[in-house]
Amino acid sequence: VLDGSRALVQLRASKPPAMGSRLQLAGVSTATVTGREGEFWVLDFAEAPGSVFERCGEIPLPPYMKRAAEDFDRERYQTVYARAPGAVAAPTAGLHFDEVMLAACQDAGLASAYVTLHVGAGTFQPVRVDDVSEHRMHAERASVPVGVCEAVRACRERGGRVVAVGTTAVRALESAAASGSLDAYVGDTRLFITPGFQFRVVDALVTNFHLPESTLLMLVAALAGREHVLRAYRHAVQQRYRFFSYGDAMFVEPSPGALA
């Protein structure tokens, strides 16, 4: 969602719509094509885009599940700590943390802090260039409150580690620290984390197993080291771990030199 009436969308049609085309959406609303950004289209809706999506949309279950979304997916394909609407898909590393697991973490003495990064459709776009430095990341909205910055500083002072749950949390935190120090942050980020990146905030990561040649896999390799990640994935394939959104998770520790 770009503002009160416009949204950047993926659009499929028998032929590309002309600028100014008026679209009928599931018989409940209309939208006008007003622009294009790469593979995405800008639509100007007759009402707030979020309300249209809620009425017309379905939960975006991954296609490899080979079934249509059902009512219970609205609850299951979502983290228990989700708050602000805006993402086009769930940050799936968080699906491993239900209320029981979060309580167990607290009982073990682990402190928690929450950031927001609205997963964008660009997450699912393949990298189509041979030189990854030419890949342009799709902008995603991130929010890192002051309380999170204070929690990170307190963690450092007591000698703890900052463990991010999901690549979305990594991108939010590292975007907020792009200037060199971690500060409260609200805004769009196009941060593309590839091997050689110096992590300023995150010390370790919990994440699922990602698609080959994806920006998410590159982020994991930036933290753990490419060869280490390839060995882990070979083991996962041999042991028939479950991959992707509803799959297994792994705990990723940094390779030497990955932390700033």
Side-chain angles (χ1 to χ4, degrees):
V1 174
L2 298 174
D3 54 38
S5 66
R6 298 182 308 137
L8 194 65
V9 308
Q10 291 174 303
L11 180 63
R12 184 169 60 191
S14 56
K15 61 179 180 179
M19 292 298 150
S21 296
R22 190 176 179 85
L23 308 180
Q24 189 73 31
L25 305 173
V28 302
S29 190
T30 60
T32 303
V33 179
T34 60
R36 188 165 187 177
E37 294 185 17
E39 298 181 3
F40 300 94
W41 299 82
V42 179
L43 299 187
D44 194 340
F45 291 82
E47 56 187 294
S51 63
V52 177
F53 300 156
E54 284 294 326
R55 298 207 312 277
C56 301
E58 297 178 358
I59 297 297
L61 287 187
Y64 56 79
M65 295 189 69
K66 298 179 180 178
R67 68 173 178 83
E70 300 182 41
D71 288 343
F72 65 80
D73 288 305
R74 279 188 171 268
E75 180 178 356
R76 294 197 59 174
Y77 191 61
Q78 181 62 280
T79 62
V80 297
Y81 48 80
R83 294 294 180 270
V88 304
T92 52
L95 298 181
H96 300 280
F97 292 81
D98 59 11
E99 299 290 1
V100 175
M101 175 65 80
L102 289 173
C105 290
Q106 186 175 15
D107 290 344
L110 302 179
S112 298
Y114 296 91
V115 298
T116 297
L117 185 134
H118 292 309
V119 180
T123 297
F124 309 107
Q125 296 296 308
V127 177
R128 294 193 173 97
V129 293
D130 293 327
D131 183 349
V132 295
S133 66
E134 298 176 0
H135 177 72
R136 186 168 183 265
M137 290 288 284
H138 178 57
E140 295 176 309
R141 193 76 174 171
S143 173
V144 179
V146 172
V148 170
C149 303
E150 294 172 348
V152 169
R153 282 190 280 272
C155 176
R156 292 270 190 263
E157 290 172 359
R158 62 176 178 268
R161 289 195 298 179
V162 175
V163 181
V165 175
T167 56
T168 54
V170 174
R171 290 193 68 220
L173 288 167
E174 296 298 333
S175 294
S179 63
S181 62
L182 178 62
D183 298 303
Y185 179 88
V186 177
D188 289 341
T189 177
R190 293 183 183 271
L191 182 63
F192 185 15
I193 297 177
T194 57
F197 181 86
Q198 295 281 291
F199 292 84
R200 293 188 172 94
V201 183
V202 174
D203 299 312
L205 167 66
V206 175
T207 188
N208 287 20
F209 289 87
H210 303 291
L211 284 165
E213 300 181 2
S214 66
T215 60
L216 304 180
L217 185 55
M218 294 176 195
L219 183 154
V220 177
L223 182 63
R226 181 177 181 274
E227 295 305 319
H228 193 184
V229 170
L230 290 176
R231 286 197 301 272
Y233 272 64
R234 281 194 291 269
H235 171 81
V237 171
Q238 291 167 359
Q239 299 299 317
R240 301 184 66 83
Y241 287 16
R242 293 169 300 169
F243 276 46
F244 314 144
S245 295
Y246 276 152
D248 293 312
M250 57 179 168
F251 185 85
V252 183
E253 295 195 297
S255 64
L259 306 185

